[in-house]
Amino acid sequence: MPFNLHSIMLDREKCRGCTNCIKKCPTEAIRVRSSKARIIDQRCIDCGECIRTCPYHAKYAVTNSLDDIKKYEYKVALPAPSFYAQFETDDINKLLHALLEIGFDDIFEVAKAAEIVTEFTKEFISKKRDKRPIISSACPAVVRLIQTKFPDLIDNILPLASPMEVAAHLAKKRINRQKGIEIDRIGAFFISPCAAKMTYVNLPLGFERSYVDGVIAIKDIYGLVRSKLKSMNDVEPISISSGKGIGWAASGGESLALGIDEYVNVDGIHNVIKVLEEIENGRLNNIVYFEGLACSGGCVGGPLTVENPYVAKNRIKKWSSKLADKAQILEENTRKIVNDLGIKMEDLLFRKELEANPVLELDSDIEEAMKKYERVNEILKILPGLDCGACGSPTCKTLAEDIVRGLANDTDCIFILRENIKELANKMVELSNKLPPSLERDEE
């Protein structure tokens, strides 16, 4: 992926070269060279794990500012379900009105789009029975993880647009019909808990172009929204989301909304990797659906959120429970939106096939790749196997691969360097005791 399409960036001034980030990166996309971290763009999936890990805040996410919405004639906010969990309030409608007060003209809740995606996912599952388990496509970081580390599972990915994408699509379609505003004059901005969504907008998954025009971090507008809430009393109800849609903010919410028993939901990118390994090895073929979320706790644990993820998750549960009695009315509302806008499952299917990211391959030529693989194993035999990270690579295996690729030297390993120095020192001692032939004494 080109550098300018990534959301995750490095502040070299703040970086101390501590190697904490290289240990946590799920795709081993970071190296430390010359006391500074370096992100390998082709490997990065923008999961945000390095943002959480870095104690010096040297990793950050590039997103849109609130001022960017002014470029459009009509501005639509697409609040993520996790947005609701950031505030202590007795009414979700107040949060939506706060968004209108800070500059947006309209709202389309991503939670409502999640309900629509849920219904079409049920339809897809009922028709597609040859691949098990079907893997959720809601988390772009997980999709990119599969493209990079588990390419054999690409065909298992649910080929439906994410709730964010659906929300932007439906919002623009509705506004165009109701107000006659041309679609290219409507700006749809996602209020996001994570960096991966920004990368998705720059480089969509399954589509040539995204309907989303920008991504604004929750943390960047948190203060503004909170200040508006302080002076807000009773407001007109404008929220149309049910507990099912809002529940998507926390791990397991998507699976519960599907109403099936044969599912597995996992949060935290490293936990997701473990389960994907099980799926790849054919050990979970009895599972119908797999929901994997890169952030711990789900989207409520995203790196661009503000609230403690455990507190946020509890709020999502409360909202889901509170809106349970309105479920039937809100579900009817979902069907009405779908019918009014004439949306069918085919409208949300991927237009572009997902492709594997071959960056982890040692060579595109199989014969050359096998030779390099053997060379990696030879190098591994002389490395200590401690995975200490002192060399600037996350593990001894990645150092061996870097050496084979010509990106590192064996002496980058401090243990090999120490042995070489010791050997050199012994030779120097031996040489220091040696005399020129003309001065040597005949022992006889």
Side-chain angles (χ1 to χ4, degrees):
M1 191 190 300
F3 169 76
N4 62 346
L5 295 182
H6 279 289
S7 174
I8 303 292
M9 296 291 172
L10 170 72
D11 186 334
R12 287 182 59 82
E13 293 299 316
K14 291 181 179 179
C15 180
R16 305 285 184 86
C18 68
T19 74
N20 283 340
C21 57
I22 68 173
K23 295 289 188 180
K24 290 291 185 179
C25 180
T27 55
E28 298 171 333
I30 306 175
R31 301 289 186 273
V32 173
R33 298 287 184 265
S34 302
S35 300
K36 298 291 180 183
R38 183 172 67 87
I39 300 173
I40 303 171
D41 300 319
Q42 295 86 351
R43 287 178 176 240
C44 179
I45 59 173
D46 293 272
C47 63
E49 199 67 18
C50 56
I51 294 178
R52 297 186 190 89
T53 303
C54 183
Y56 304 107
H57 308 291
K59 316 295 188 304
Y60 64 97
V62 175
T63 54
N64 294 95
S65 71
L66 189 59
D67 286 339
D68 288 334
I69 70 175
K70 297 175 183 177
K71 298 174 184 177
Y72 295 87
E73 178 184 329
Y74 198 83
K75 313 152 193 72
V76 187
L78 311 173
S82 53
F83 173 74
Y84 306 136
Q86 305 303 305
F87 305 90
E88 184 65 57
T89 180
D90 59 348
D91 189 357
I92 282 176
N93 291 291
K94 291 181 179 180
L95 296 175
L96 302 184
H97 277 279
L99 289 174
L100 295 175
E101 288 192 16
I102 66 172
F104 289 99
D105 300 307
D106 208 336
I107 308 285
F108 196 106
E109 295 172 273
V110 176
K112 175 53 67 177
E115 295 168 34
I116 294 170
V117 172
T118 296
E119 294 307 310
F120 287 129
T121 301
K122 289 178 183 177
E123 183 181 340
F124 184 88
I125 290 173
S126 67
K127 292 179 179 179
K128 191 82 170 177
R129 298 180 179 275
D130 58 327
K131 282 287 183 183
R132 289 291 185 268
I134 293 170
I135 300 173
S136 169
S137 57
C139 179
V142 170
V143 174
R144 294 195 195 281
L145 173 71
I146 293 171
Q147 289 179 293
T148 304
K149 295 193 77 167
F150 303 95
D152 290 341
L153 298 180
I154 287 176
D155 289 342
N156 290 63
I157 296 172
L158 177 71
L160 287 179
S162 69
M164 174 189 76
E165 186 66 26
V166 173
H169 182 187
L170 298 185
K172 290 185 174 183
K173 194 170 185 178
R174 184 194 68 187
I175 293 162
N176 175 256
R177 284 189 181 185
Q178 292 178 352
K179 299 183 180 295
I181 302 173
E182 293 179 14
I183 285 179
D184 60 354
R185 294 185 177 182
I186 303 168
F189 287 80
F190 182 58
I191 312 302
S192 180
C194 77
K197 295 293 188 182
M198 184 74 217
T199 307
Y200 170 92
V201 173
N202 291 334
L203 193 70
L205 294 163
F207 301 93
E208 291 292 342
R209 185 178 182 276
S210 175
Y211 281 97
V212 182
D213 298 292
V215 173
I216 298 173
I218 289 176
K219 66 182 182 64
D220 289 345
I221 60 168
Y222 175 81
L224 273 174
V225 172
R226 192 174 179 185
S227 66
K228 297 294 181 184
L229 289 176
K230 290 179 180 178
S231 58
M232 203 172 288
N233 297 314
D234 294 336
V235 295
E236 177 190 352
I238 55 175
S239 175
I240 55 173
S241 297
S242 74
K244 286 184 178 179
I246 292 172
W248 273 56
S251 177
E254 179 186 357
S255 300
L256 288 172
L258 288 173
I260 58 176
D261 296 323
E262 302 83 9
Y263 72 86
V264 170
N265 67 274
V266 179
D267 57 276
I269 195 72
H270 295 286
N271 295 327
V272 170
I273 288 172
K274 290 176 184 177
V275 177
L276 288 175
E277 288 171 350
E278 294 287 298
I279 295 173
E280 191 174 48
N281 292 329
R283 293 175 186 153
L284 292 175
N285 292 338
N286 59 324
I287 298 299
V288 174
Y289 199 75
F290 173 62
E291 174 194 344
L293 297 172
C295 299
S296 296
C299 295
V300 291
L304 305 185
T305 57
V306 176
E307 185 57 272
N308 179 290
Y310 299 102
V311 173
K313 190 173 183 178
N314 190 45
R315 284 178 185 160
I316 290 297
K317 286 182 179 179
K318 286 180 179 178
W319 281 119
S320 296
S321 177
K322 188 175 181 179
L323 294 170
D325 58 337
K326 299 180 181 178
Q328 187 174 350
I329 298 172
L330 293 170
E331 283 174 13
E332 289 174 2
N333 179 271
T334 301
R335 287 190 287 271
K336 185 177 185 303
I337 291 173
V338 170
N339 292 333
D340 289 349
L341 296 176
I343 301 297
K344 298 177 182 177
M345 185 179 75
E346 290 71 23
D347 298 323
L348 308 185
L349 288 172
F350 285 175
R351 302 284 188 271
K352 182 180 171 184
E353 284 190 11
L354 297 176
E355 297 179 352
N357 177 9
V359 69
L360 299 185
E361 294 178 1
L362 290 172
D363 200 289
S364 56
D365 181 85
I366 295 176
E367 194 173 327
E368 281 299 313
M370 290 302 296
K371 289 179 181 178
K372 289 182 178 180
Y373 180 73
E374 290 174 5
R375 176 66 180 138
V376 166
N377 286 331
E378 290 172 7
I379 295 171
L380 275 172
K381 290 176 183 177
I382 63 172
L383 294 176
L386 297 176
D387 298 339
C388 64
C391 61
S393 297
T395 63
C396 289
K397 185 173 183 292
T398 50
L399 174 60
E401 291 173 354
D402 288 346
I403 293 170
V404 168
R405 288 189 173 100
L407 303 174
N409 300 305
D410 57 357
T411 51
D412 289 344
C413 174
I414 191 170
F415 295 96
I416 290 179
L417 179 63
R418 187 171 63 185
E419 287 301 315
N420 286 358
I421 291 173
K422 188 186 294 183
E423 186 179 337
L424 180 61
N426 289 335
K427 285 182 179 179
M428 290 178 69
V429 169
E430 185 181 328
L431 288 170
S432 68
N433 293 326
K434 190 172 178 63
L435 296 172
S438 60
L439 298 178
E440 285 183 348
R441 297 178 62 183
D442 190 341
E443 292 182 3
E444 292 182 2

Coordinates of all heavy atoms in Angstrom, one line a residue, residues 117-155:
V117 N -27.3 -4.2 7.4 CA -26.3 -5.2 7.0 C -26.6 -6.5 7.7 O -26.4 -7.6 7.1 CB -24.9 -4.7 7.4 CG1 -23.8 -5.8 7.2 CG2 -24.5 -3.5 6.6
T118 N -27.1 -6.5 8.9 CA -27.5 -7.7 9.6 C -28.5 -8.5 8.8 O -28.4 -9.8 8.7 CB -28.0 -7.4 11.0 OG1 -27.0 -6.8 11.8 CG2 -28.5 -8.7 11.7
E119 N -29.5 -7.9 8.4 CA -30.6 -8.5 7.6 C -30.0 -9.2 6.3 O -30.4 -10.3 6.0 CB -31.7 -7.6 7.3 CG -32.5 -7.1 8.5 CD -32.9 -8.2 9.4 OE1 -33.6 -9.1 8.9 OE2 -32.7 -8.2 10.6
F120 N -29.2 -8.4 5.6 CA -28.6 -9.0 4.4 C -27.6 -10.1 4.6 O -27.4 -11.0 3.8 CB -28.0 -7.8 3.5 CG -29.1 -7.0 2.9 CD1 -29.0 -5.6 3.0 CD2 -30.1 -7.5 2.2 CE1 -30.0 -4.8 2.4 CE2 -31.1 -6.7 1.6 CZ -31.0 -5.3 1.7
T121 N -26.9 -10.0 5.8 CA -26.0 -11.0 6.2 C -26.8 -12.3 6.4 O -26.3 -13.4 6.0 CB -25.2 -10.7 7.4 OG1 -24.5 -9.5 7.2 CG2 -24.2 -11.8 7.8
K122 N -27.9 -12.3 7.1 CA -28.7 -13.4 7.3 C -29.1 -14.1 5.9 O -29.1 -15.3 5.8 CB -30.0 -13.1 8.0 CG -29.8 -12.7 9.5 CD -31.1 -12.3 10.1 CE -31.0 -11.8 11.5 NZ -32.3 -11.4 12.1
E123 N -29.5 -13.2 5.0 CA -29.9 -13.7 3.7 C -28.7 -14.4 3.0 O -28.9 -15.4 2.4 CB -30.4 -12.5 2.8 CG -30.9 -12.9 1.4 CD -31.3 -11.7 0.6 OE1 -31.6 -10.6 1.2 OE2 -31.4 -11.8 -0.6
F124 N -27.5 -13.8 3.1 CA -26.3 -14.3 2.5 C -26.0 -15.7 3.1 O -25.7 -16.6 2.3 CB -25.1 -13.4 2.6 CG -23.9 -13.8 1.9 CD1 -23.7 -13.5 0.6 CD2 -22.9 -14.6 2.6 CE1 -22.5 -13.9 -0.1 CE2 -21.8 -15.0 1.9 CZ -21.6 -14.7 0.6
I125 N -26.1 -15.8 4.4 CA -25.7 -17.0 5.1 C -26.7 -18.2 4.6 O -26.3 -19.3 4.4 CB -25.8 -16.8 6.6 CG1 -24.6 -16.0 7.1 CG2 -25.8 -18.2 7.3 CD1 -24.7 -15.6 8.6
S126 N -27.9 -17.8 4.5 CA -28.9 -18.8 4.1 C -28.7 -19.3 2.6 O -29.0 -20.5 2.3 CB -30.3 -18.3 4.2 OG -30.5 -17.2 3.2
K127 N -28.1 -18.5 1.8 CA -27.8 -18.9 0.4 C -26.5 -19.5 0.2 O -26.3 -20.4 -0.7 CB -28.0 -17.7 -0.5 CG -29.4 -17.1 -0.6 CD -29.5 -15.9 -1.5 CE -30.9 -15.4 -1.6 NZ -31.0 -14.2 -2.4
K128 N -25.5 -19.0 1.0 CA -24.1 -19.5 0.8 C -23.7 -20.5 1.8 O -23.4 -20.1 3.0 CB -23.2 -18.2 0.8 CG -21.8 -18.5 0.4 CD -21.6 -18.4 -1.1 CE -20.2 -18.5 -1.5 NZ -20.0 -18.5 -3.0
R129 N -23.8 -21.7 1.5 CA -23.5 -22.8 2.4 C -22.2 -23.6 2.2 O -21.9 -24.5 2.9 CB -24.7 -23.8 2.5 CG -26.0 -23.1 2.9 CD -27.1 -24.1 3.0 NE -28.4 -23.5 3.4 CZ -28.7 -23.3 4.7 NH1 -27.9 -23.7 5.7 NH2 -29.8 -22.7 5.0
D130 N -21.5 -23.2 1.1 CA -20.3 -24.0 0.7 C -19.1 -23.5 1.4 O -18.1 -24.3 1.5 CB -20.1 -23.9 -0.8 CG -19.9 -22.5 -1.3 OD1 -20.6 -21.6 -0.7 OD2 -19.2 -22.2 -2.2
K131 N -19.1 -22.3 2.0 CA -17.9 -21.9 2.8 C -18.3 -21.7 4.3 O -19.2 -21.0 4.6 CB -17.4 -20.5 2.2 CG -16.7 -20.6 0.9 CD -15.3 -21.2 1.1 CE -14.5 -21.2 -0.2 NZ -13.1 -21.9 0.0
R132 N -17.5 -22.3 5.1 CA -17.7 -22.2 6.5 C -16.3 -22.1 7.2 O -15.4 -22.8 6.9 CB -18.5 -23.4 7.1 CG -20.0 -23.4 6.7 CD -20.7 -22.3 7.4 NE -22.2 -22.4 7.2 CZ -22.8 -21.8 6.2 NH1 -22.1 -21.1 5.3 NH2 -24.1 -21.9 6.0
P133 N -16.2 -21.2 8.2 CA -17.2 -20.2 8.6 C -17.1 -19.0 7.6 O -16.1 -18.7 7.0 CB -16.8 -19.8 10.0 CG -15.3 -20.0 10.0 CD -15.0 -21.2 9.1
I134 N -18.2 -18.2 7.6 CA -18.2 -16.9 6.9 C -17.5 -15.9 7.9 O -17.9 -15.9 9.0 CB -19.6 -16.5 6.5 CG1 -20.2 -17.4 5.4 CG2 -19.6 -15.1 6.0 CD1 -21.6 -17.3 5.2
I135 N -16.6 -15.1 7.4 CA -15.9 -14.2 8.2 C -16.4 -12.8 8.0 O -16.5 -12.3 6.9 CB -14.4 -14.3 7.9 CG1 -13.8 -15.7 8.2 CG2 -13.6 -13.2 8.7 CD1 -12.4 -15.9 7.7
S136 N -16.7 -12.1 9.1 CA -17.2 -10.7 9.0 C -16.2 -9.8 8.3 O -15.0 -9.9 8.5 CB -17.5 -10.2 10.4 OG -17.8 -8.8 10.4
S137 N -16.8 -8.9 7.5 CA -16.0 -7.9 6.8 C -16.1 -6.6 7.4 O -15.6 -5.6 6.8 CB -16.4 -7.9 5.3 OG -17.8 -7.5 5.2
A138 N -16.7 -6.5 8.6 CA -16.9 -5.2 9.2 C -15.7 -4.5 9.7 O -15.6 -3.2 9.6 CB -17.9 -5.4 10.4
C139 N -14.6 -5.2 10.1 CA -13.4 -4.6 10.6 C -12.4 -4.6 9.5 O -11.8 -5.7 9.1 CB -12.9 -5.4 11.8 SG -11.3 -4.7 12.4
P140 N -12.0 -3.4 8.9 CA -11.1 -3.4 7.8 C -9.7 -3.9 8.2 O -8.9 -4.4 7.3 CB -11.1 -1.9 7.4 CG -11.6 -1.2 8.6 CD -12.5 -2.1 9.2
A141 N -9.3 -3.7 9.4 CA -8.0 -4.2 9.9 C -7.9 -5.7 9.8 O -6.9 -6.3 9.4 CB -7.7 -3.7 11.3
V142 N -9.0 -6.4 10.2 CA -9.0 -7.8 10.1 C -9.0 -8.3 8.7 O -8.4 -9.3 8.3 CB -10.2 -8.4 10.9 CG1 -10.4 -9.9 10.7 CG2 -10.1 -8.1 12.4
V143 N -9.7 -7.6 7.8 CA -9.8 -8.0 6.4 C -8.4 -7.9 5.8 O -7.9 -8.8 5.1 CB -10.8 -7.1 5.6 CG1 -10.6 -7.4 4.1 CG2 -12.2 -7.4 6.1
R144 N -7.7 -6.8 6.1 CA -6.3 -6.6 5.6 C -5.3 -7.6 6.2 O -4.4 -8.1 5.6 CB -5.8 -5.2 5.9 CG -6.6 -4.1 5.1 CD -5.9 -2.8 5.0 NE -6.8 -1.7 4.6 CZ -7.1 -1.5 3.3 NH1 -6.7 -2.3 2.4 NH2 -8.0 -0.5 3.0
L145 N -5.6 -8.0 7.5 CA -4.8 -9.0 8.1 C -4.9 -10.4 7.4 O -3.9 -11.0 7.1 CB -5.3 -9.2 9.6 CG -4.7 -10.4 10.3 CD1 -3.2 -10.1 10.7 CD2 -5.4 -10.7 11.6
I146 N -6.1 -10.7 7.0 CA -6.4 -11.9 6.2 C -5.7 -11.8 4.8 O -5.1 -12.8 4.4 CB -7.9 -12.2 6.0 CG1 -8.5 -12.5 7.4 CG2 -8.2 -13.3 5.1 CD1 -10.0 -12.5 7.4
Q147 N -5.8 -10.7 4.2 CA -5.1 -10.5 2.9 C -3.6 -10.7 3.0 O -2.9 -11.2 2.1 CB -5.4 -9.1 2.3 CG -6.8 -8.9 1.9 CD -7.0 -7.5 1.4 OE1 -7.0 -6.5 2.1 NE2 -7.2 -7.4 0.1
T148 N -3.0 -10.4 4.2 CA -1.6 -10.4 4.4 C -1.1 -11.7 4.9 O -0.1 -12.3 4.4 CB -1.1 -9.3 5.3 OG1 -1.6 -8.0 4.8 CG2 0.4 -9.2 5.5
K149 N -1.8 -12.2 6.0 CA -1.3 -13.4 6.6 C -2.0 -14.7 6.4 O -1.5 -15.8 6.6 CB -1.2 -13.2 8.2 CG -0.2 -12.1 8.6 CD 0.0 -12.2 10.1 CE 0.9 -13.3 10.5 NZ 1.4 -13.2 11.9
F150 N -3.3 -14.6 5.9 CA -4.1 -15.7 5.7 C -4.9 -15.7 4.4 O -6.1 -15.7 4.3 CB -5.2 -15.8 6.9 CG -4.6 -15.9 8.2 CD1 -4.5 -14.7 9.0 CD2 -4.2 -17.1 8.8 CE1 -3.9 -14.8 10.3 CE2 -3.6 -17.1 10.0 CZ -3.5 -16.0 10.8
P151 N -4.1 -15.5 3.3 CA -4.7 -15.4 2.0 C -5.7 -16.5 1.6 O -6.6 -16.3 0.8 CB -3.5 -15.3 1.0 CG -2.4 -15.9 1.7 CD -2.6 -15.6 3.2
D152 N -5.5 -17.7 2.1 CA -6.3 -18.8 1.8 C -7.8 -18.7 2.3 O -8.7 -19.4 1.9 CB -5.8 -20.1 2.3 CG -4.5 -20.6 1.6 OD1 -4.3 -20.1 0.5 OD2 -3.7 -21.4 2.1
L153 N -7.9 -17.7 3.2 CA -9.3 -17.5 3.8 C -10.0 -16.3 3.2 O -11.1 -16.0 3.6 CB -9.1 -17.2 5.3 CG -8.5 -18.4 6.2 CD1 -8.5 -18.0 7.7 CD2 -9.3 -19.6 6.0
I154 N -9.4 -15.7 2.2 CA -10.1 -14.6 1.5 C -11.5 -14.9 1.0 O -12.4 -14.1 1.1 CB -9.2 -14.0 0.4 CG1 -8.0 -13.3 1.0 CG2 -10.0 -13.0 -0.5 CD1 -7.0 -12.8 -0.1
D155 N -11.6 -16.1 0.5 CA -13.0 -16.5 0.0 C -14.0 -16.7 1.1 O -15.2 -16.8 0.8 CB -12.8 -17.8 -0.8 CG -12.1 -17.6 -2.2 OD1 -12.0 -16.5 -2.6 OD2 -11.6 -18.6 -2.7

